[in-house]
Amino acid sequence: MALKVYINGTLYDKDDAKISVYDHGLLYGDGVFEGIRSYGGKVFRLQEPLDRLWDSAKALWLEIPTSKPQMARNIQRMLETNGIEDGYVRVLVTRGCGTLGLDPNRCTDPQVIIIADTVSLYPKELYEKGLAIITVSTVRSHPAALSPRIKSLNYLNNILAKIEGLQAGCIEALMLNHKGEVAECTGDNIFLVRRGRILTPPNEAGILEGITRDAVMTLAREAGYDMRETPLTKHDVYIADECFLTGTAAEVVPVVKVDSRTIGDGTPGPVTGELMQRFHELTRS
Ligand code: PMP
């Protein structure tokens, strides 16, 4: 049976799920999205991505033509319709069809799209051996230009960084902000461990406020760690004992090399391992 995709209340077969070429989501990347995980057929922390979706839309002056409870029901329905247990739901809201000009006021029909599919994680061995990443020259968007807190359909800043990473043979890349501080990776937040303390850049560093980041910070504090949000530099990364990334699709993934430099002893560290385990228990119990 073909996967069903939700567009504004109607379910379409995957191949027939299309939107107009006049949609400003396509013409200008004018819209917002979310990625949500499901474990055992149930969505993980639905309220947070929904809140972030509504906040992102508000920042773009885009009114989502449905309510959060209705969206929640539709997301659950799409998981059930497609028989997805452990999967990934992509929710998009586009500005809708307009003229070829930028003016969002001329767009009248925002499109709400829900795609429930399987999840594509990093290869399993990377969770055991750890990732090698590099710092790229593409600077994370200046928050006063396009705030990284908005999860918008325009991901070009991250894509440019991803291309740089891929061309250097790395599947994830570290982006610095306009001040030269560590911001985040192209689709994941970053954490360091140094002398038993866990560190991650604050929101002011110009990052997406990751939902996995938030869950991992809570887990770290519950486990008794000194968990701090603090500005970090490349120097902090190079001298860290451990490094790991967090994201909805990736969950918690160890990093063992940054810019060809070995982090710690070059294997995933004990704190990372503990948090990976705790996150696994949180999502699967
Ligand atoms: N930063 C960026 C730029 C992202 O795209 C993502 C993934 N959506 C994250 C961080 C991780 O956020 P989350 O844990 O909410 O998936």
Side-chain angles (χ1 to χ4, degrees):
M1 193 186 71
L3 204 73
K4 297 283 183 200
V5 175
Y6 172 106
I7 307 180
N8 276 6
T10 306
L11 302 195
Y12 297 89
D13 282 349
K14 183 177 175 178
D15 290 344
D16 300 326
K18 293 172 180 156
I19 61 156
S20 165
V21 293
Y22 282 89
D23 193 305
H24 280 208
L26 174 69
L27 287 173
Y28 300 114
D30 188 355
V32 292
F33 78 101
E34 268 305 328
I36 305 166
R37 275 299 289 275
S38 74
Y39 297 97
K42 287 226 173 66
V43 280
F44 175 66
R45 301 215 166 164
L46 184 53
Q47 199 53 45
E48 281 140 301
L50 285 185
D51 286 346
R52 192 168 66 180
L53 185 74
W54 256 258
D55 288 349
S56 293
K58 191 164 187 192
L60 296 188
W61 205 31
L62 167 62
E63 200 165 322
I64 299 179
T66 183
S67 65
K68 287 184 197 176
Q70 189 62 46
M71 184 75 95
R73 280 194 290 277
N74 285 328
I75 290 169
Q76 196 62 48
R77 180 174 154 222
M78 292 312 293
L79 283 169
E80 285 158 19
T81 303
N82 290 304
I84 290 177
E85 293 278 314
D86 294 331
Y88 178 91
V89 183
R90 174 63 58 94
V91 181
L92 297 86
V93 184
T94 73
R95 184 75 70 180
C97 284
T99 62
L100 291 179
L102 290 178
D103 190 352
N105 292 315
R106 295 192 174 203
C107 303
T108 49
D109 60 341
Q111 302 288 297
V112 177
I113 301 164
I114 305 172
I115 308 166
D117 210 330
T118 49
V119 62
S120 78
L121 297 167
Y122 291 124
K124 192 169 174 284
E125 70 191 62
L126 292 180
Y127 288 86
E128 288 151 14
K129 292 194 183 136
L131 240 65
I133 63 172
I134 61 154
T135 313
V136 291
S137 68
T138 304
V139 170
R140 190 75 179 99
S141 293
H142 194 299
L146 176 58
S147 173
R149 293 172 73 185
I150 304 174
K151 203 162 164 61
S152 86
L153 293 181
N154 188 328
Y155 247 54
L156 280 178
N157 179 227
N158 311 56
I159 291 167
L160 291 177
K162 178 100 180 174
I163 290 169
E164 270 192 79
L166 289 173
Q167 282 172 344
C170 296
I171 57 174
E172 185 52 294
L174 177 59
M175 304 174 80
L176 306 180
N177 66 18
H178 60 285
K179 291 185 269 185
E181 298 162 347
V182 170
E184 59 182 334
C185 290
T186 67
D188 300 302
N189 292 111
I190 187 164
F191 286 72
L192 303 177
V193 181
R194 168 90 170 152
R195 297 194 177 128
R197 199 176 266 167
I198 308 179
L199 312 165
T200 196
N203 289 336
E204 303 81 68
I207 60 168
L208 183 79
E209 295 156 282
I211 287 154
T212 321
R213 171 182 178 272
D214 194 58
V216 166
M217 285 199 295
T218 304
L219 288 176
R221 287 185 179 124
E222 282 169 5
Y225 286 105
D226 180 353
M227 172 73 244
R228 298 190 186 188
E229 291 174 79
T230 184
L232 297 169
T233 63
K234 247 177 13 171
H235 176 75
D236 294 305
V237 178
Y238 293 160
I239 64 168
D241 301 322
E242 299 179 37
C243 176
F244 63 88
L245 311 181
T246 62
T248 295
E251 303 187 336
V252 181
V253 60
V255 171
V256 292
K257 253 186 189 172
V258 181
D259 302 340
S260 302
R261 290 160 183 257
T262 301
I263 303 299
D265 68 0
T267 61
V271 178
T272 305
E274 183 184 348
L275 291 171
M276 286 170 77
Q277 179 61 30
R278 283 178 181 266
F279 189 77
H280 193 271
E281 283 161 15
L282 175 72
T283 51
R284 271 86 168 175
S285 60

